[in-house]
Amino acid sequence: MDRNPACWLFSMLFCWTSLATAQQALAPVEARVPFAPAAFVGSDELMHLAYELHLTSIYGDTGPLMPQGLDVYAGDSGTPLAGFSAIDLAAMSRPAPAEHAPVTIEAGKRVVIYVWLTLPAGSAVPHTLRHRIAFATAKHTTELLDGVRVPVNTEAPMLIGPPLRGGLWLAHEGPGNAHSHHWGSLVAVNGQVTIPQRYALDLVGVDPQGHAMRAGVKDIGKTRHADWIGYGADVLAVADAVVRDMRDGQVEHPPLSPQSEPESLTAHGLFGNYVVLELKPGVYASYAHLQRGSVKVRAGERVRRGQLLGRLGQSGNSAAPHLHFQLSSAATFEGSEGLPFAFDHFDLLGPETEPQLFGQGEPWKSATPRQHQAQLPLNDVVIEFPAPR
């Protein structure tokens, strides 16, 4: 039987309207995780995943979108691995919102959420992650993002030896701190946005009282390099490797002196005197801020684990003597992604704050050293590497 065209059109319109009403409005955003996370065990003896969720509001007339929270799921599970409130997101996002203000994605703008997941003890590492965010709009509606599936890299982090010979070291600006100049620094160069320093450590030498400077320093603003505990310490190859890049001869700045803007977001612009080792294909170790005239190796040279590479100094973009150490996916700084790693052995002596480094606030108290194996030191803990055999 023939249908009346007008009735047929009315039925179709009614059907589509009913479907649209029944469905949740989908958020007009692009969401992606540019670099798949890899699980690693931190010095808290728990398994972690660290990655960045980029959220971009595409349309100019959308108006501001305000994330109300983030739930992260393992694959198709109906129970979140982790849930973050709107207040949590304000502390996890860059650019950071004003104090006590919510995260807001303006039309045509991007916000990056730095996600730190701690997996329940004994749980399996998920193969994929799924994300769900509800956005409040300026029109007092709610729009939903559900998906953004991300594979988890199942390759175990590389196990490496100590980069320094013995001593006590504060693992400063380390993993877990999204506001550090390491994980928190996006590097945009030649069409790529990466985070080369995602798991980097600034290893600052300390004495048994947790101080970075030797006893007797009266004015911390007028110290010499020799006043700093770690200055001149031996810097070592963490594995058998090939030297892929190095630099020496760069001046060292006075400690705690103002730093000029780097000339470029490259190793030459940031690292001062440095060594880059290829540990295996696609895995490179970078040692930065070495003492002028101390570098002992040349590009193309093969080195053995524990071999002397140079000495800890203060060259390049560095405010005080320390060793910047990282693993990444390329020999160059720009265009590389930071990779997790694990030291085969170190002792953990407990957390320390930056003020305590300079003898300010409550005195630092060392805990009884505990040996840790195959773990990555987390942000602002004091560690000790075993003495060389």
Side-chain angles (χ1 to χ4, degrees):
M1 182 176 67
D2 293 335
R3 295 186 61 183
N4 184 308
C7 292
W8 177 83
L9 179 60
F10 176 82
S11 299
M12 289 297 294
L13 288 173
F14 179 79
C15 177
W16 283 112
T17 301
S18 299
L19 284 173
T21 302
Q23 293 177 345
Q24 173 74 52
L26 300 180
V29 297
E30 182 208 39
R32 59 192 181 90
V33 176
F35 191 70
F40 64 92
V41 179
S43 53
D44 59 358
E45 301 186 322
L46 297 173
M47 189 78 72
H48 301 280
L49 291 163
Y51 61 98
E52 307 81 45
L53 176 60
H54 291 229
L55 298 173
T56 305
S57 178
I58 297 297
Y59 304 116
D61 60 354
T62 296
L65 297 172
M66 289 159 285
Q68 301 302 289
L70 165 66
D71 288 329
V72 183
Y73 299 83
D76 293 319
S77 171
T79 303
L81 276 175
F84 304 96
S85 69
I87 294 174
D88 295 330
L89 294 182
M92 297 162 57
S93 300
R94 293 286 186 93
E99 189 174 4
H100 305 306
V103 176
T104 301
I105 310 174
E106 300 290 346
K109 299 293 186 179
R110 175 187 298 185
V111 164
V112 179
I113 298 176
Y114 291 77
V115 183
W116 178 266
L117 296 182
T118 300
L119 302 181
S123 65
V125 176
H127 294 291
T128 60
L129 301 174
R130 190 178 95 250
H131 302 80
R132 184 181 176 92
I133 302 176
F135 295 89
T137 74
K139 299 177 181 179
H140 306 292
T141 61
T142 299
E143 300 188 347
L144 184 68
L145 166 70
D146 192 353
V148 199
R149 292 177 179 268
V150 180
V152 175
N153 184 346
T154 57
E155 184 176 357
M158 187 165 184
L159 194 63
I160 58 177
L164 291 157
R165 195 187 304 280
L168 301 180
W169 304 95
L170 176 68
H172 191 39
E173 299 280 285
N177 181 4
H179 294 280
S180 75
H181 69 276
H182 289 155
W183 188 18
S185 294
L186 293 166
V187 176
V189 174
N190 198 32
Q192 288 183 291
V193 175
T194 62
I195 301 185
Q197 306 174 96
R198 185 177 286 110
Y199 304 97
L201 300 173
D202 281 347
L203 294 165
V204 182
V206 297
D207 66 12
Q209 289 72 47
H211 297 157
M213 285 175 266
R214 303 186 189 282
V217 172
K218 295 180 180 179
D219 186 346
I220 65 173
K222 296 180 180 180
T223 60
R224 302 169 299 163
H225 291 131
D227 293 327
W228 291 73
I229 300 294
Y231 187 78
D234 289 348
V235 174
L236 310 177
V238 294
D240 295 350
V242 177
V243 180
R244 290 304 182 201
D245 196 8
M246 54 76 59
R247 195 187 198 194
D248 202 348
Q250 301 301 299
V251 299
E252 296 180 83
H253 311 292
L256 305 180
S257 61
Q259 298 288 297
S260 59
E261 284 294 317
E263 62 186 39
S264 63
L265 295 177
T266 64
H268 274 210
L270 297 167
F271 282 178
N273 305 312
Y274 65 88
V275 173
V276 178
L277 303 181
E278 183 180 11
L279 307 186
K280 65 179 184 178
V283 180
Y284 298 82
S286 295
Y287 305 75
H289 314 313
L290 303 181
Q291 191 179 106
R292 186 180 190 183
S294 75
V295 178
K296 306 297 183 185
V297 295
R298 294 292 178 264
E301 181 179 343
R302 291 187 176 275
V303 297
R304 305 289 292 178
R305 172 175 162 152
Q307 183 173 329
L308 180 66
L309 302 177
R311 290 187 169 84
L312 185 150
Q314 199 200 326
S315 57
N317 189 32
S318 168
H322 71 278
L323 175 68
H324 172 95
F325 179 80
Q326 67 182 57
L327 258 57
S328 57
S329 62
T332 57
F333 179 82
E334 69 281 8
S336 69
E337 294 283 10
L339 304 175
F341 53 92
F343 292 124
D344 50 14
H345 294 89
F346 63 88
D347 285 344
L348 180 68
L349 288 83
E352 183 179 20
T353 66
E354 186 172 312
Q356 288 175 322
L357 273 180
F358 303 104
Q360 301 170 359
E362 289 291 323
W364 178 70
K365 295 180 181 179
S366 170
T368 301
R370 291 183 55 211
Q371 187 179 89
H372 288 242
Q373 298 182 5
Q375 295 176 5
L376 175 58
L378 300 183
N379 181 55
D380 283 345
V381 297
V382 176
I383 61 174
E384 182 175 17
F385 293 115
R389 298 172 183 173

